[in-house]
Amino acid sequence: MGIVTAVSLRKGHHFRKTNSLSIRLLRGLGVDGDAHMGETVKHRSRVARDPTQPNLRQVHLIHEELFDELAPKNFIVRPGEMGENVTTRGINLLTLPTGTRLHLGETALVEVTGLRNPCIQIDRFQQGLMAATLDKDADGNLIRKAGVMSVVLADGDVRPGDTIRIVLPEGPRRALQPV
C-alpha cells in the first residue's frame, strides 16, 4: 500500500501544475479543472496528429522517490513541477503492469495505461533533467522514469495523506509502454 503525498492541477497547458489541498477525479474525463481533462487526447502534439484519439493520459502519477533519486544529481524537483497530478510514495509505479488499478482515497479509481514519455519540456524546466529521467537496463533497453499515465474509472476526491491500494490485473501481465 502506498500514500498520496501531493495532488496538483492547472487549467492551462503549462509544464508545472499547482499543488492543491484536493483534486476531484471524474470518471472517463480526468482531473476536474485540469488542462488534460477530457475523453479525447488533450496533449497538444497529440491533438495536432489526431484530436479524436482516446485520452489515455487523464491522470499523471509520479513516485516521489524519483525526486529523492534526482537530488544527489543536483536536480531539485518538488511535487507538481514535472506536470503530475498525483505524487505518490511507497509504490514502484514503473513496475506495475498495464491495467493495474489504483484505489486513491475513499472512492477514486484509476487504471494505469502506460508510461509517461519524457519530452524536451523537462529540459526547459531544468537543463539535463530529461536525461536524468531516462536510464538503460542491463540489456540496453530504455527505462523511462517520469511516472505513469492513467484513466479514471470511478469518481472521487484525492488528498495528500490518502492511501493507495493496488489491484493487479488478472491473466497475463503486460509491461508498461509509453502512451
Side-chain angles (χ1 to χ4, degrees), residues 62 64-71 77-79 82 84 87:
I62 202 165
E64 195 170 50
E65 289 86 350
L66 176 62
F67 306 158
D68 300 339
E69 179 185 329
L70 293 169
V77 182
R78 292 177 187 84
M82 287 184 62
E84 77 277 9
T87 311

Side-chain angles (χ1 to χ4, degrees), residues 17-114:
K17 296 195 184 282
T18 305
N19 294 148
S20 181
L21 296 176
S22 70
I23 57 174
R24 176 113 180 111
L25 301 187
L26 301 174
R27 183 178 183 264
L29 295 173
V31 179
D32 189 21
D34 190 77
H36 293 97
M37 183 181 87
E39 291 179 5
T40 56
V41 68
K42 301 300 175 200
H43 193 276
R44 289 186 285 190
S45 66
R46 293 168 191 265
V47 169
R49 281 192 304 249
D50 179 2
T52 65
Q53 295 176 72
N55 188 1
L56 302 178
R57 302 165 57 100
Q58 294 174 359
V59 181
H60 175 200
L61 298 97
I62 202 165
H63 50 296
E64 195 170 50
E65 289 86 350
L66 176 62
F67 306 158
D68 300 339
E69 179 185 329
L70 293 169
K73 299 174 184 175
N74 296 317
F75 295 105
I76 305 305
V77 182
R78 292 177 187 84
E81 289 186 336
M82 287 184 62
E84 77 277 9
N85 301 109
V86 178
T87 311
T88 69
R89 186 165 283 281
I91 295 176
N92 190 342
L93 295 171
L94 305 178
T95 63
L96 298 173
T98 301
T100 298
R101 293 181 174 194
L102 301 173
H103 292 266
L104 305 170
E106 291 183 26
T107 62
L109 176 65
V110 299
E111 183 172 284
V112 177
T113 56

Side-chain angles (χ1 to χ4, degrees), residues 13-16 36 43-45 81-83 116-127 129-130:
H13 285 274
H14 304 277
F15 181 70
R16 298 179 193 184
H36 293 97
H43 193 276
R44 289 186 285 190
S45 66
E81 289 186 336
M82 287 184 62
R116 177 194 186 186
N117 199 16
C119 67
I120 195 65
Q121 288 187 21
I122 292 177
D123 273 348
R124 290 184 192 133
F125 169 58
Q126 289 185 42
Q127 190 61 40
L129 185 57
M130 185 167 127

